[in-house]
Amino acid sequence: MSEQNSQGVNEHITDIDLSQEMQDSFLEYSYSVIYSRALPDARDGLKPVHRRIIYQMGEMGLRPDKGHVKSARVTGEVMGKLHPHGDSAIYDALVRMAQPFSLREPLIDGHGNFGSLDDGPAAARYTEVRLSQAALLMNDGLDEDVVDFKPNYDAQLTEPEVLPAAFPNLLVNGAAGIAVGMATNMPPHNLREVIEAARHLLANKDATTEELMEFVPGPDLPTGGIIIGRDGIKEAYETGRGMFKTRARVSIESVSPRKLGIVVTELPYLVGPEKVIEKIKDGVNSKKLQGISDVTDLTDRNHGLRLVIEVKTGFDPQVVLDLLYRFTPMEDSFSINNVALVAGRPLTLGLKDLLGQYLAHRVLVTKRRSENRLGKRQARLHLIEGLLIAILSIDEVIQVIRTSDEVDHARTRLMSIFDLSEIQAEYILELRLRRLTKFSKIELESEKTQLLQEIAELERILGSESVLRDLVSEELAAVAAKYGSERRTTLLDADAEVKPISNAKAASISAELADTACEVVLTATGLLARIEAGVDSVAGGKRRRHDVLRSRLTTSTRKDLGFITSTGRLLRIHAGDVPPSGSMFDAGNAVKARDFLGLSKGENLVDVISLEGDVPLALGTALGVVKRVVADWPSKPDFEVITLKDGDTVVGAGIASDEAELVFVANDAQLLHYSASMVRPQGRAGSGMAGINIDGDARAIYFGVLNDVSSAVVLTAADSSNALKGTDPGSVKISNFSEFPGKGRATGGVRAHKFIRNENELYLACVTETQVVAAAEDGKPIDLPEVLGKRDGSGTPLANVIAGAGNLI
C-alpha cells in the first residue's frame, strides 16, 4: 500500500510474514556458507577461497622456479579480483596452505614466519609466498579447457568452478570447516597410499572398503605421531564418520648423568608443545601427574620437536608416561566427519565415495584435455596441409596473389583454384615468403607426420573408456613416484590404548617403581645394567659377549646403591634408575657406566655396593693405602669416602666384615693378604693407613675383598712397561689363592708372578672366589690356561690383551 510521509513523499510499504522471511533469509545464508565458504568440493578438495588463491597465484606466474612475492600482494589480487570477503580471511587460508604441520603436501611455498602450533603467523606485509610443486599439479591443464569457468563476483573476470587437481587433494591434505548445521573434519593421508587405492578402484569398480584399506590403512599426519586402534578408522572409511586416537612418539632416555627422562619427538596432529607443557604443569600442581621434576622445550628449526620431561628418582617412567597420555594432549582424539560438496550438495562420504568422486572428475578432466588437444592438432594439421599445397604450386600462388586487385579477391581465387578452405587461404596470405623454402617443406612434412601420430593416439584415447582410464591411472602413478614420500604416522592396534580413568582413581595410582627384586651388574668392560633377580648366568652353557663380571649386586628397585669412583667419591644412585636389560645385556640396553654416572676425564668406576646394613666399606689405593669406612652414609647424592694424597687413586673397594680377607696386588708382582680385622674402621674424612709396603715406583693395581678363600684363584697378566699400553698381550697365569701365605698389614707380601723375556710389570690382576674369566676390549672372551700350583711361576703367552677379568656369569 502507498502512504505519504511527513515530507509528503509517497512510500511503498509491503507487509510480509516474519517467520517466512526469517526462514528464507536463513536458508540463503546457510546456502552461502555451505557452498561458498565452509565446505570443500569433493573433486579438488578445496574451498572457494583456497581455489581462488591457487588459481590467482598461477595467473600471477608465481611458480616454484620464480621468486617469492609479498603475501599482501597476493591477498590484494585475490580480494580485488575474485574473493571480496576481507583480506584477513584470505591471508588465514593462505597461511594454512603454507604450514607443513597443517597439510601433508603444502600447496604454498612460504618464506618467513608462518606461525607454529602455538603462535600465529607474521603479518602479510612481512611474509612472502609462491606456489609449491603440489599446487602446480592442482592447476595443471587449466589452459586446455579441462574445467568450466564462471564469472567472478562483478562479472568482469572469470574463475574456474573447480581445479583440475592432478592428485586427490581432499584425502591427501584433509579439510576442516564449520558450516550451518554441519561441519567437516578430514585428516590428511599419504599421497602414495591414496593414489595406489585410487588406481585400484579405477581398475576394479566393485572394490570394497576393506580392499582399499590394504592400500590406505589409515591417516598419515604431517607431524607424525602414533595412531592407536583402527576400528574407528574403518568405520569412518565405510560410513564417513568415525574417530581415532593419536599419541605422541616418545622414548625413555638418559637425559643427563643419573637422570632418566621422557623425550617427545612427535606430538598428535595440531597439538603444540606449549599446550602440552601447560597441561603438565596443571597436572603436577593438581597432583594428577606424579614423578615429574622438570619439563624443557628444546624444539628448534634445525632439529625439530624435542620436549624433555625429566622423571624423578624412584619413579617408573612407563607409569609416568601412561599418566601423561591420560591427562595431557600427548594423547588426543580426532573425529572424522567426511562432509564435502558433490554437485553443489553437502554429502557424507566414505573412502570409496571420496575416491570415486575424484576419479570421475579426473577422468572428465583427462577426456576434455584430450578433446582440446585433438582439436588443436587437427586445426594445425589443416593449416599444414594448406601450406604444403601452396609450396608445391608456389609460382601459381604468387601469380594469383599478384594479379588480384584486393585481399578478398586473392583469398577467393586461392580457395577456388587450389581447393583450399578459407582458413587455409587466409593463413597463406599472411605467410612470410621465407617460410616457403625447401627446408620449410621438410619441416612441414615432418610436423604433419607427427601430428597424424598424435591425432591417432588421441582418437584412440577418446575412442575407448578403458584406455582413457588407463591413462588416468598412469598419470597418477607418475605423480606418486615423483612427489610421494614415506609414511610418517605409525599405526598400532588398540591393545596399546590407555583407557581413560576418573580423577579420583588417578590420584590412587602410584608412579613409583614397584619394590621388586633385581640385580645390578657391572662388567669388566665398563657396562652397567639392571636385570631381573635370578636370571641364569649361563645361557645354554655358552659364553657370550660381555660375560666378564666385575660386580653383581642383588638389591631391589627402591633401594639406593653406592657407586665408588677412583677419586674416592661415592655416588648415591637409585637402583630403579639404572637402565634395565632383558638378561645379561641380551636386550642391548646396557649403558657405559662412566656416561651414565657423568664421570669426569680420568675418573673411573671402581665398584658398586649396597648402602644397606652396617658392615664397613674397605678401600685400597694405588699407593698402598687401605681404609675401612664406617657405614654411616649421608643422604647426599655425592660425597667422599676417603681423603687421597696427591697422585693417589682408589683401585678397589668392597664391603668387608672383620672375618673377610683383604688382598693387594702390586705391579711389581707382589701379593699381600691379611684379615680385615687388622684395619680399624674410620670415618669418611679419614685418609686410611698403610696397607701394603710398595718398593720404589711400584703401584698397587688391584685391591679386593674375599669372604670365601677356599676356592679362590689369582689371575696375573704381565707385559713390558716399555711397550705402548694395550699393544703387548704379554703372559697370563692363574694360581690357587691357597698357595699365597698371609702376611701382616703394611708388609711387602710374596711373589705372585715370574717375569720372562721382556716382561717387567703386571698390567692386570684379579682375585675371584669362583672360576675366573677374561675379556678383550670389545668384550669378547679370551682363552685362559689351566690353574697352576706354583704361585711364583711364569705365565703363558697371550694372543690378545686382557681388558678386564672377573667372575663367570
Side-chain angles (χ1 to χ4, degrees):
M1 79 184 163
S2 296
E3 294 182 356
Q4 280 191 346
N5 60 14
S6 60
Q7 286 77 27
V9 179
N10 289 331
E11 292 182 346
H12 182 72
I13 300 175
T14 303
D15 292 329
I16 58 172
D17 182 20
L18 181 60
S19 62
Q20 184 63 39
E21 179 65 21
M22 289 292 293
Q23 180 178 350
D24 294 343
S25 298
F26 183 76
L27 287 176
E28 289 181 8
Y29 168 74
S30 300
Y31 178 79
S32 174
V33 171
I34 292 171
Y35 184 73
S36 302
R37 189 182 305 175
L39 298 183
D41 193 292
R43 296 169 292 177
D44 62 4
L46 298 173
K47 301 176 186 177
V49 63
H50 300 108
R51 186 180 303 115
R52 289 164 178 166
I53 290 172
I54 294 174
Y55 169 70
Q56 189 59 41
M57 289 181 68
E59 291 295 293
M60 295 169 66
L62 303 181
R63 299 173 56 84
D65 55 349
K66 303 295 183 181
H68 294 80
V69 302
K70 288 291 185 182
S71 300
R73 178 184 168 191
V74 174
T75 302
E77 287 282 320
V78 174
M79 180 174 61
K81 294 182 178 181
L82 303 175
H83 196 78
H85 295 292
D87 56 345
S88 60
I90 299 172
Y91 185 56
D92 289 344
L94 182 70
V95 165
R96 185 180 184 275
M97 290 193 290
Q99 293 174 333
F101 53 83
S102 295
L103 271 63
R104 186 62 176 81
E105 300 293 337
L107 301 175
I108 301 297
D109 177 9
H111 181 69
N113 178 17
F114 280 85
S116 66
L117 289 166
D118 297 306
D119 298 312
R125 61 183 178 275
Y126 298 121
T127 60
E128 298 177 344
V129 292
R130 64 184 178 189
L131 293 175
S132 68
Q133 291 290 345
L136 289 186
L137 296 175
M138 297 297 294
N139 279 338
D140 186 36
L142 274 176
D143 57 344
E144 296 184 278
D145 191 33
V146 294
V147 295
D148 293 333
F149 278 69
K150 63 181 180 180
N152 69 335
Y153 65 92
D154 60 358
Q156 299 296 313
L157 301 171
T158 59
E159 60 176 309
E161 292 183 354
V162 65
L163 293 185
F167 70 96
N169 176 64
L170 184 56
L171 276 167
V172 171
N173 282 324
I178 300 175
V180 178
M182 62 187 67
T184 185
N185 198 31
M186 303 174 64
H189 291 76
N190 185 273
L191 176 65
R192 290 178 182 171
E193 295 176 353
V194 172
I195 286 182
E196 286 300 316
R199 296 183 65 201
H200 180 75
L201 182 60
L202 201 58
N204 304 274
K205 295 182 179 180
D206 298 328
T208 63
T209 302
E210 290 185 359
E211 292 176 358
L212 296 177
M213 286 187 67
E214 294 179 3
F215 302 97
V216 185
D220 186 23
L221 308 175
T223 52
I226 300 170
I227 292 179
I228 305 297
R230 307 190 191 188
D231 293 342
I233 296 173
K234 184 178 180 181
E235 180 183 0
Y237 286 169
E238 289 178 343
T239 66
R241 295 177 183 270
M243 188 271 290
F244 64 87
K245 288 188 176 182
T246 57
R247 179 179 292 179
R249 192 182 301 277
V250 303
S251 60
I252 298 174
E253 304 176 9
S254 295
V255 296
S256 64
R258 294 168 276 165
K259 198 75 171 180
L260 289 178
I262 299 170
V263 179
V264 182
T265 54
E266 295 176 5
L267 284 172
Y269 186 43
L270 301 181
V271 174
E274 290 186 10
K275 182 178 180 181
V276 174
I277 293 174
E278 181 183 353
K279 290 295 184 180
I280 290 176
K281 291 179 179 178
D282 292 343
V284 171
N285 293 334
S286 63
K287 309 299 182 183
K288 293 180 182 178
L289 298 177
Q290 309 171 38
I292 297 175
S293 61
D294 193 17
V295 183
T296 307
D297 187 3
L298 302 179
T299 303
D300 59 38
R301 293 184 182 273
N302 295 326
H303 302 92
L305 176 68
R306 185 173 176 84
L307 194 63
V308 179
I309 305 169
E310 291 190 9
V311 180
K312 291 181 180 178
T313 297
F315 284 81
D316 189 344
Q318 191 59 55
V319 177
V320 174
L321 180 59
D322 290 345
L323 293 173
L324 287 170
Y325 285 147
R326 287 189 175 102
F327 297 113
T328 72
M330 283 177 59
E331 182 172 280
D332 200 11
S333 299
F334 189 99
S335 297
I336 301 176
N337 191 20
N338 296 335
V339 178
L341 294 175
V342 177
R345 298 178 58 190
L347 296 178
T348 302
L349 307 173
L351 176 62
K352 183 177 180 179
D353 296 329
L354 287 169
L355 290 173
Q357 290 295 327
Y358 170 76
L359 290 174
H361 169 63
R362 193 60 196 168
V363 169
L364 179 60
V365 165
T366 306
K367 181 178 180 180
R368 291 182 59 165
R369 184 190 65 195
S370 300
E371 291 173 345
N372 181 270
R373 291 177 179 178
L374 178 61
K376 288 181 178 180
R377 280 153 181 76
Q378 288 175 338
R380 178 61 181 170
L381 178 62
H382 186 59
L383 295 178
I384 295 297
E385 289 174 341
L387 280 178
L388 288 173
I389 293 174
I391 289 175
L392 290 175
S393 307
I394 185 61
D395 294 335
E396 291 83 350
V397 169
I398 294 175
Q399 182 64 27
V400 168
I401 296 173
R402 291 184 62 185
T403 57
S404 299
D405 295 332
E406 295 179 352
V407 175
D408 292 342
H409 186 209
R411 184 189 305 113
T412 304
R413 291 180 63 193
L414 286 175
M415 293 170 58
S416 62
I417 294 174
F418 299 102
D419 194 20
L420 299 175
S421 67
E422 182 177 355
I423 295 175
Q424 289 173 325
E426 183 67 28
Y427 189 70
I428 291 172
L429 288 173
E430 294 178 355
L431 191 67
R432 293 184 179 182
L433 290 177
R434 65 181 182 182
R435 291 292 307 276
L436 304 178
T437 62
K438 180 179 180 182
F439 185 71
S440 294
K441 178 182 178 183
I442 296 174
E443 289 181 346
L444 291 172
E445 288 177 343
S446 175
E447 184 178 356
K448 178 181 178 181
T449 302
Q450 182 178 354
L451 286 171
L452 288 173
Q453 293 175 351
E454 292 177 355
I455 289 171
E457 175 63 20
L458 290 169
E459 288 177 342
R460 186 181 73 88
I461 293 171
L462 294 171
S464 172
E465 182 71 16
S466 62
V467 175
L468 180 63
R469 298 173 75 87
D470 289 343
L471 177 60
V472 172
S473 180
E474 292 172 4
E475 291 179 349
L476 287 173
V479 170
K482 186 174 182 180
Y483 301 102
S485 58
E486 297 297 326
R487 166 173 280 274
R488 299 176 188 174
T489 303
T490 303
L491 298 171
L492 294 182
D493 294 329
D495 297 338
E497 184 176 354
V498 177
K499 302 299 182 183
I501 58 174
S502 63
N503 293 343
K505 188 173 182 181
S508 65
I509 294 178
S510 175
E512 291 189 80
L513 285 168
D515 193 14
T516 57
C518 65
E519 293 184 3
V520 174
V521 292
L522 173 66
T523 72
T525 53
L527 294 180
L528 181 70
R530 170 167 53 89
I531 62 174
E532 295 180 8
V535 172
D536 193 7
S537 61
V538 179
K542 296 182 180 180
R543 293 170 59 185
R544 295 165 291 166
R545 284 181 64 117
H546 310 305
D547 59 353
V548 179
L549 280 186
R550 184 187 302 176
S551 301
R552 181 171 184 173
L553 184 64
T554 300
T555 180
S556 69
T557 51
R558 288 192 180 179
K559 290 183 179 178
D560 287 344
L561 304 178
F563 290 76
I564 303 159
T565 74
S566 59
T567 61
R569 290 195 303 155
L570 188 148
L571 307 177
R572 180 188 287 269
I573 305 294
H574 207 71
D577 290 340
V578 178
S581 184
S583 58
M584 291 304 180
F585 316 107
D586 284 350
N589 292 330
V591 295
K592 291 184 178 179
R594 65 176 305 103
D595 294 340
F596 172 73
L597 298 173
L599 302 182
S600 59
K601 186 177 181 180
E603 185 178 17
N604 300 309
L605 178 61
V606 173
D607 208 343
V608 185
I609 64 169
S610 172
L611 298 182
E612 301 289 328
D614 56 1
V615 181
L617 166 67
L619 302 167
T621 75
L623 296 182
V625 175
V626 67
K627 179 182 180 182
R628 290 176 73 203
V629 187
V630 177
D632 181 17
W633 313 120
S635 58
K636 298 179 181 179
D638 182 352
F639 52 88
E640 290 187 352
V641 290
I642 185 173
T643 302
L644 295 173
K645 296 179 181 179
D646 291 342
D648 200 5
T649 59
V650 176
V651 296
I655 298 296
S657 64
D658 289 345
E659 293 75 24
E661 197 76 7
L662 306 182
V663 185
F664 271 102
V665 181
N667 62 354
D668 61 355
Q670 293 298 114
L671 184 148
L672 173 66
H673 69 89
Y674 47 84
S675 173
S677 60
M678 301 177 66
V679 181
R680 176 179 52 84
Q682 296 177 305
R684 289 180 288 108
S687 57
M689 59 188 70
I692 181 174
N693 185 18
I694 298 177
D695 294 334
D697 296 331
R699 296 175 70 87
I701 61 173
Y702 174 82
F703 174 81
V705 179
L706 288 179
N707 294 305
D708 181 10
V709 300
S710 60
S711 59
V713 295
V714 179
L715 178 146
T716 53
D719 68 357
S720 172
S721 61
N722 296 322
L724 186 65
K725 292 301 180 185
T727 61
D728 182 11
S731 64
V732 65
K733 181 177 72 69
I734 300 177
S735 307
N736 289 317
F737 183 77
S738 59
E739 295 294 322
F740 297 84
K743 299 286 185 179
R745 182 182 61 80
T747 61
V750 297
R751 173 69 62 177
H753 195 110
K754 179 181 179 181
F755 297 131
I756 58 175
R757 295 188 300 277
N758 296 324
E759 297 174 351
N760 61 0
E761 69 171 6
L762 296 181
Y763 70 87
L764 183 138
C766 178
V767 181
T768 65
E769 298 177 354
T770 59
Q771 180 184 352
V772 65
V773 290
E777 186 68 34
D778 61 358
K780 292 182 179 179
I782 293 177
D783 293 331
L784 297 175
E786 299 294 331
V787 176
L788 301 177
K790 194 174 182 181
R791 63 174 177 80
D792 58 350
S794 59
T796 302
L798 282 168
N800 297 308
V801 176
I802 298 177
N807 296 311
L808 176 68
I809 292 179

